[in-house]
């Protein structure tokens, strides 16, 4: 039997379910801030999307229930630091929905991945808030305090590992001295990896993008690492730090803005992987997933038109 | 033999299965409505008038058009009217029809044929019988069979399509189970006509009973019976050829160009009836199925109303949606007073349900995974929707067989095949328009050219004339000069003498 998906909303829901494992792992390490950001993001997206759908004269309920806006909000919420002040996620999600999606004509018409557009917008506008991560587990009370800036509590915060690599390299001689081990990030990545495998199994996403994406990262990082082991991150760190697995299975696979031919998906995923390593290594920002995805979004029409599959009888 | 298969396609279980396939004889209809328009070619001209008594099998309309076939009375009785009636067609338009009221006697006319020793008839004679018996492709396409056979030259393989065209349709399955002898004989007639070296009857591997039945009656070693994987769209001619022979008929050309002829099993049986039993095409087997009825097959006279047939399949009391042809490629019908035609292979009667809302395309790519032709429906849809036909053509719009596999899997429930069919129509219109423009432009350009040429010719003529004149003058002058010189010389001589 050919599997058929009952609806677009069903597919989006599957993606959201698949995120649960990774999100719970993040919660385990960083506490309530993670969930708070998601809640803020989802509420914002509901409001903004409804207003815009109403303005455009669409059926609000049937469109919003496709779940794509909620998915965008969740993806953005788990990409930003969980102790970022509340307005960061509100601004980010609003930007993503309005400029990333609705102004292009809504779902299906946006050339860019809305969540990543929101992320880049935030990164450029609020670099400080976007690069301060906490280290400890936060209780609900603490998280509310920090996110809504209720009282001045001191959260032990710092930069991410990728940030450390970027900034710390000037202080020490070799990358090996930096202590790259980061169990929390590795576990979170593992959570998203498992969620992604679930999506592959249910055939909600095709294998080409994640596999090519990871292959791109592995190949380019091996080449760099082999050229200078002191200067460049080893492959396993590339895979297990930052948002690699989230990017491979959940962000790059956003169907609307990704390449849609089988061959195209491989090129698309692979080049995103390569770009991520290049940006992480040589760029001004610690993690490059958002930039890499957006750059490749731009190349999609070109890739698609060059990778049309063979037509029967031609 | 190998099963080459093709990419894509979908596997769907029969949504309304039956325990045992049957063929139930529908009673003689009280009234039949027989449309005069055929699939291609011009409308047939009636050769009876209102009030005439006709016999079953009598020709009631004929045509000179080489694509047309004769049309026969499917019951004996009196011609009630010749006028516009609703017919089952996606346009929903009315069409000229002959209505006959049955006298309940079913008296047959004696037709000519060549009976069982058809080998003595020439191929052309048999093809003529086929045309005169009103046979068209019964698989659903309705292409006139004699036209298809007449074009065959140097045929090496004859393929008999016994794959049920769509899930849920069982009429060919039933036919093969209950009329295997006629089908095998029909194949032999076809072999005789196109003088092919072999014939392959293709059956899907879930139709075991039909396979066994045919196997039992096949004693001809030119005929083989092949099972292929059950998959939707394997009934499509080119895909079937790929699955059986591994030959890919290239886009824009036909199976005939490669020496392969294809016929449907029901058509083959009709050919047997016509050639051996002298019976023109006046009935067919129709599957009535769906959630609103007890699914079954019925042998029914052409022209009986949908309604009369549906009432035989114990319909439920609920509100129904009607669809003709099949769940994938069929057409919704609103008016069930419409008559059953030669191409009506199935009627779906479903309890009414609300159609699921159409959502935006999310480019998920499920559609291109199943497209048997290897197209990118998501891209085609984009261009078809914006009526950008040129781009759609770049994405091979014309290769789409409108099988609706893509619709079936689309999570956004977009009626993709409808869009593509619409885009093709638009394209046809545009090409026609373009042709007209091209002709007009050529005409204009020719006129310009002609005017220009005339002008040039005139100029040339003038210059020619002038030159001739000048030459003439120059000649005259030189003559004059010569004369003058001569006179002068004479004068001088005279002067000298003096
Ligand atoms: S299956 Fe439907 S939603 Fe998915 S890409 Fe094709 S047309 Fe778009
Ligand atoms: S309808 Fe056309 S595009 Fe859709 S699956 Fe069939 S051939 Fe492909």
């Amino acid at each position: 039997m050919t599997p058929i998906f009952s609806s677009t909303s069903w597919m989006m829901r599957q993606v959201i379910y698949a995120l649960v494992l990774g999100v719970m792992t993040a919660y385990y390490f960083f506490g309530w801030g993670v969930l708070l950001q998601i809640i803020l993001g989802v509420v914002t997206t509901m409001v903004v999307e409804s207003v815009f759908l109403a303005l455009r004269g669409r059926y609000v309920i049937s469109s919003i229930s496709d779940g794509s806006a909620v998915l965008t909000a969740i993806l953005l919420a788990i990409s930003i630091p969980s102790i970022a002040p509340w307005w960061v996620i509100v601004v980010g999600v609003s930007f993503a929905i309005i400029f990333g999606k609705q102004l292009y004509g809504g779902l299906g018409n946006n050339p860019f991945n809305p969540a990543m557009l929101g992320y880049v917008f935030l990164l450029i506008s609020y670099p400080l808030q976007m690069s301060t991560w906490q280290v400890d587990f936060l209780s609900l009370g603490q998280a509310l305090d920090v996110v809504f800036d209720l009282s001045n509590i001191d959260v032990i915060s710092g930069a991410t590992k990728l940030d450390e690599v970027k900034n710390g390299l000037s202080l020490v001689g070799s990358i090996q001295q930096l202590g790259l081990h980061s169990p929390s990030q590795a576990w979170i990545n593992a959570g998203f990896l498992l969620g992604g495998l679930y999506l592959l199994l249910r055939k909600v996403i095709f294998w080409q993008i994640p596999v090519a994406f990871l292959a791109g990262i592995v190949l380019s990082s091996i080449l760099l690492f082999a050229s200078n082991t002191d200067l460049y991150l080893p492959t396993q760190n590339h895979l297990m730090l930052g948002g690699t697995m989230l990017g491979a299975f959940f962000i790059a696979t956003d169907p609307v803005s990704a390449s849609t031919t089988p061959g195209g998906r491989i090129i698309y995923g692979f080049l995103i992987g390569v770009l991520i390593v290049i940006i992480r290594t040589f760029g001004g920002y610690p993690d490059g997933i958002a930039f890499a995805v957006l750059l490749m979004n731009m190349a999609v029409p070109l890739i698609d038109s060059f990778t049309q599959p063979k037509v029967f009888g031609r | 033999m190998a099963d080459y298969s093709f990419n894509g396609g979908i596997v769907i279980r029969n949504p309304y299965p039956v325990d045992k396939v049957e063929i139930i004889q529908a009673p003689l209809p009280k009234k039949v409505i027989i449309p005069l328009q055929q699939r291609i070619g011009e409308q047939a001209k009636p050769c009876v008038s209102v009030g005439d008594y006709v016999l079953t099998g009598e020709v009631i309309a004929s045509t000179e058009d080489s694509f047309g076939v004769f049309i026969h009375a499917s019951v004996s009785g009196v011609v009630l009217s010749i006028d516009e009636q609703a017919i089952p067609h996606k346009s929903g338009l009315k069409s000229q029809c002959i209505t006959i009221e049955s006298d309940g006697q079913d008296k047959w006319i004696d037709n000519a044929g060549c009976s069982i020793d058809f080998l003595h008839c020439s191929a052309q004679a048999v093809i003529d019988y086929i045309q005169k018996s009103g046979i068209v492709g019964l698989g659903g396409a309705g292409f006139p069979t004699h036209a298809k056979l007449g074009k065959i030259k140097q045929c090496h393989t004859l393929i008999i399509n016994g794959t049920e065209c769509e899930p849920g349709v069982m009429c060919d399955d039933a036919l093969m189970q209950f009329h295997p002898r006629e089908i095998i004989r029909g194949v032999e007639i076809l072999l005789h006509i196109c003088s092919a070296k072999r014939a392959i009857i293709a059956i899907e591997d879930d139709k075991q009973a039909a396979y066994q039945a045919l196997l039992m009656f096949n004693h001809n070693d030119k005929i083989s019976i092949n099972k292929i994987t059950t998959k939707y769209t394997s009934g499509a001619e080119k895909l079937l050829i790929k699955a059986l022979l591994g030959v890919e008929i290239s886009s824009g050309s036909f199976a005939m160009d490669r020496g392969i002829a294809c016929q449907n099993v029901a058509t083959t049986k009709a050919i047997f009836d016509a050639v051996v039993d002298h019976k023109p095409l006046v009935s067919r087997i129709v599957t009535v199925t769906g959630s609103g009825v007890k699914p079954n097959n019925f042998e029914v006279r052409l022209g009986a109303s949908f309604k009369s047939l549906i009432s035989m399949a114990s319909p439920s009391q609920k509100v129904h949606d009607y669809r003709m042809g099949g769940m994938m490629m069929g057409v919704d019908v609103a008016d069930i007073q419409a008559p059953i035609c030669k191409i009506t292979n199935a009627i779906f009667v479903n309890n009414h349900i609300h159609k699921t809302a159409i959502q935006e395309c999310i480019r998920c790519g499920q559609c291109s995974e199943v497209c048997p032709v290897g197209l990118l429906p998501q891209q085609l849809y984009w261009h078809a929707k914006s009526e950008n036909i040129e781009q759609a053509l770049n994405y091979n719009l014309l290769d789409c067989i409108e099988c609706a596999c893509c619709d079936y899997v689309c999570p956004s429930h977009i009626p993709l095949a409808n869009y593509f069919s619409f885009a093709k129509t638009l394209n046809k219109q545009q090409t026609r328009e373009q042709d007209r423009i091209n002709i007009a432009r050529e005409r204009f350009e020719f006129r310009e050219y002609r005017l220009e040429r005339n002008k040039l010719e005139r100029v040339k003529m003038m210059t020619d004339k002038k030159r001739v004149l000048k030459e003439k003058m120059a000649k005259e002058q030189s003559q004059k000069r010569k004369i003058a010189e001569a006179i002068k010389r004479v004068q001088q001589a005279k002067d000298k003498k003096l």
Side-chain angles (χ1 to χ4, degrees), chain B residues 386-397:
Chain B
S386 55
E387 297 183 17
N388 185 348
I389 301 301
E390 204 174 313
Q391 271 299 327
L393 290 178
N394 281 346
Y395 279 95
N396 304 310
L397 172 69

Side-chain angles (χ1 to χ4, degrees), chain B residues 25 29 43 45 64 76 107 137 147 151-152 180 286 355 395 406 430 439 469 481:
Chain B
Q25 289 293 332
Q43 191 167 301
K45 286 184 194 58
E64 313 262 270
S76 59
K107 278 194 225 125
K151 277 202 198 132
I152 294 173
V286 180
K355 287 227 166 87
Y395 279 95
C406 46
Q430 281 182 2
I439 290 171
L469 226 73
R481 212 175 36 241

Side-chain angles (χ1 to χ4, degrees), chain A residues 1-9 11-12 58 62-63 65-66 105-109 203-206 208 255-262 265 300-301 304-305 307-314, chain B residues 6 9-13 238-239 242 247-252 357 359-366 368-370 372-376 378-379 382 385 394-396 398-399 408-413:
Chain A
M1 294 288 286
T2 305
I4 77 161
F5 302 133
S6 48
S7 65
T8 313
S9 8
M11 289 178 83
M12 296 289 175
R58 300 295 165 100
S62 72
S63 297
S65 63
D66 67 33
L107 179 62
N109 299 310
K203 297 220 164 92
V204 173
I205 57 175
F206 292 104
Q208 289 100 335
V256 177
S257 55
S259 171
T260 177
T261 64
R265 287 191 206 112
V300 160
D304 277 356
S305 71
T307 51
Q308 286 190 43
K310 185 201 160 300
V311 171
F312 187 93
R314 278 190 190 265
Chain B
F6 47 90
I10 50 182
V11 181
I12 317 173
R13 226 178 279 128
K238 286 186 181 181
L239 299 177
K242 174 84 196 296
V247 173
E248 199 167 308
I249 309 288
S250 55
S251 168
Q359 286 169 305
E360 300 278 348
C361 167
I362 53 165
R363 290 166 43 95
C364 64
Q366 303 291 344
S368 53
E369 281 295 294
V370 297
V373 189
L375 302 176
L376 295 169
Q378 66 274 47
Q379 303 286 50
W382 185 263
K385 197 170 71 163
N394 281 346
Y395 279 95
N396 304 310
L398 298 184
D399 287 298
Y408 185 75
V409 297
C410 175
S412 293
H413 310 293

Side-chain angles (χ1 to χ4, degrees), chain B residues 371-373 375 377 380 400-406 417 420:
Chain B
C371 177
V373 189
L375 302 176
L380 272 177
C400 169
I401 56 172
E402 295 172 37
C403 64
C405 284
C406 46
F420 303 155

